[in-house]
Amino acid sequence: MYKLSAYWFPDKNPFGVFSYVIGRMLPQTQGQLIDKKVTDYFIMFNPCIGIGAGFKYPVTQKIMLRTGIAASIDFQIFQSEHKSGSYEMKQNDFIMIFGITNDIVVKYILSENVYVDFGADLGLWYANYIHKKNIYSDRPTDIIDRWEKKYFKFSAAPFVGLGLMLPL
């Protein structure tokens, strides 16, 4: 997993722009061997992007508080394959989750260009669209294409990061 976040504050203004990209890629094979006929394969790609407003507050010369709030989209792309004898299923899933994320950070400046971040990402996710399809089947019941009803999710992820201050 990786997270790239950026804050931009024009003309030393405490208000600015916050953006981020989070990416995960989880390939997994877990074959269950029953009479040498069953195999499973799964892969997931999960990028999440957001853009919004940022705020900074200098506590001391070396310590700064930063926070950002962003409108976010989390994409989840799955592909799975299952085989058992003559039965074969290959499923593609595409999920989009919409929400609002908040980045809360304490920035400790080590040198003119390098700093360490201690913080947390908080997310409030409120809309979820799902598209699933078994590509070997034409049955309408094997296709799901809908918005989830009453979807709500909260997420929290603490982090420690190393950062670079780029002259822009």
Side-chain angles (χ1 to χ4, degrees), residues 56-127:
K56 68 179 179 178
Y57 177 75
V59 178
T60 67
Q61 192 171 4
K62 292 220 171 239
I63 297 174
M64 181 177 300
L65 298 176
R66 284 189 323 217
T67 188
I69 189 161
S72 303
I73 301 175
D74 186 357
F75 297 97
Q76 297 177 4
I77 302 161
F78 298 89
Q79 185 176 41
S80 56
E81 189 171 326
H82 309 282
K83 296 177 185 176
S84 176
S86 63
Y87 174 76
E88 186 171 358
M89 182 184 97
K90 187 171 186 180
Q91 181 169 318
N92 293 329
D93 297 357
F94 176 72
I95 300 171
M96 282 190 311
I97 305 171
F98 297 88
I100 297 171
T101 56
N102 180 239
D103 189 50
I104 301 170
V105 183
V106 175
K107 173 182 173 181
Y108 182 75
I109 299 170
L110 298 173
S111 70
E112 188 176 317
N113 295 324
V114 179
Y115 62 90
V116 177
D117 276 343
F118 303 94
D121 289 323
L122 306 174
L124 179 63
W125 305 95
Y126 54 82

